[in-house]
Amino acid sequence: MFLGSNLQYLRRESGGMTQEKLAEQIGVSRQTVSKWESGEAYPELHKLMDLCEIFHCRLDDLLRQDMAARASIYYPVQIVQVAGFRRAQYVIISANPEADSAAYMDSWIQKSGLGQMEGYSPVRIRWGFPYVSAEQKNRFGLRGHVSGCVLPEGFEPADQSVQILSQEAAEYAVTTIRDPFTGDYNRIAQAYHLIFEYLSASGFKKKYSEKILPTFERVYKKGGITYMDVYIHCESGGKVSKTIQLI
């Protein structure tokens, strides 16, 4: 049971919320909150549900997940507006599509002239390609993946062997994973799970639009550490924390 430590963690993550402030929001005394956190007392069910609403989390996670330990891998989910951008993308269906599509895009960046642009560092994005037949998956072990590259304004590629598409500004729920490829892909799958949990707990909806990427991942290095941002297109009713420029 992680209720006490999770409440302390969630208060810290909510701008350093005090026990007094939480007690005021939930309609109890500060001493009661202190007892919950120390394990001396336990909230009634309706108070647990109030806590979940305040902190935008699921009851099962509040009680059973070590949120502080999870926070060393995953950054808190945010709702952001991603500014409109133009991208090059290439789809590959193969037994190892992540590596194959990334290798093709690496080659294209050089052939297109993008790799020779002074002061430009390629912004790479990627996402799954779901349109693979049952025969391709079950008989041949094939999967689909898309590698993309965000293009600078006004850039016209010398090589036209990839798709060039644009999308307008859109809202996304996003989290960041530290060392996403450590072990296996469970860290990436868990990131999607965390975003869906957040959207559900917040009353927000995943959104679909033909002209907007429904989801994508951005992998980059910072201070020698690999990070991955996971984005899911959503509708929050304008509750955006900030605007992000991919390039």
Side-chain angles (χ1 to χ4, degrees), residues 6-246:
N6 283 342
L7 286 178
Q8 294 176 49
Y9 165 73
L10 290 167
R11 286 195 297 105
R12 290 196 303 270
E13 291 298 305
S14 299
M17 180 189 293
T18 64
Q19 288 182 338
E20 289 87 350
K21 184 65 176 178
L22 177 57
E24 180 183 332
Q25 289 191 35
I26 207 166
V28 298
S29 68
R30 184 201 65 78
Q31 289 79 8
T32 296
V33 172
S34 179
K35 288 180 179 179
W36 291 347
E37 293 185 355
S38 66
E40 297 177 52
Y42 192 78
E44 297 175 338
L45 180 59
H46 69 281
K47 293 298 184 185
L48 286 170
M49 300 310 296
D50 289 343
L51 289 167
C52 291
E53 184 174 348
I54 290 170
F55 293 120
H56 303 299
C57 65
R58 295 194 318 161
L59 180 58
D60 189 61
D61 288 346
L62 181 63
L63 300 179
R64 301 176 187 275
Q65 293 287 334
D66 186 349
M67 292 182 170
R70 192 170 69 181
S72 66
I73 301 172
Y74 303 99
Y75 286 45
V77 178
Q78 300 181 75
I79 303 298
V80 302
Q81 174 146 305
V82 176
F85 64 93
R86 187 164 163 258
R87 69 183 185 272
Q89 65 180 53
Y90 191 77
V91 182
I92 281 186
I93 296 174
S94 72
N96 189 13
E98 292 87 359
D100 293 343
S101 60
Y104 189 94
M105 186 55 65
D106 286 340
S107 174
W108 181 84
I109 287 172
Q110 298 306 315
K111 291 188 294 183
S112 68
L114 196 57
Q116 288 74 47
M117 286 189 67
E118 187 175 349
Y120 173 76
S121 180
V123 177
R124 301 290 296 275
I125 56 177
R126 45 176 259 170
W127 59 97
F129 182 73
Y131 305 108
V132 181
S133 71
E135 183 179 26
Q136 287 175 311
K137 288 187 286 187
N138 300 329
R139 184 177 178 184
F140 300 106
L142 304 180
R143 295 178 293 110
H145 202 76
V146 187
S147 278
C149 182
V150 181
L151 301 177
E153 185 176 353
F155 175 75
E156 294 300 331
D159 185 289
Q160 301 292 326
S161 61
V162 301
Q163 287 182 291
I164 305 294
L165 298 171
S166 298
Q167 75 170 51
E168 59 188 19
E171 289 184 12
Y172 284 87
V174 58
T175 187
T176 300
I177 315 169
R178 181 188 172 104
D179 293 324
F181 305 112
T182 297
D184 54 29
Y185 275 24
N186 285 344
R187 287 192 174 186
I188 301 175
Q190 179 66 13
Y192 283 90
H193 178 67
L194 291 174
I195 293 175
F196 286 131
E197 279 186 352
Y198 177 86
L199 292 176
S200 176
S202 304
F204 303 153
K205 297 179 181 179
K206 183 178 179 182
K207 190 173 182 181
Y208 296 92
S209 171
E210 291 185 0
K211 296 183 178 180
I212 303 294
L213 283 175
T215 182
F216 66 92
E217 302 158 2
R218 179 189 173 199
V219 180
Y220 55 95
K221 284 196 173 185
K222 187 176 180 182
I225 299 171
T226 300
Y227 294 91
M228 175 187 284
D229 296 337
V230 175
Y231 293 83
I232 295 178
H233 185 33
C234 67
E235 187 172 24
S236 72
K239 296 181 179 179
V240 173
S241 63
K242 59 182 177 181
T243 297
I244 290 178
Q245 299 274 355
L246 291 180

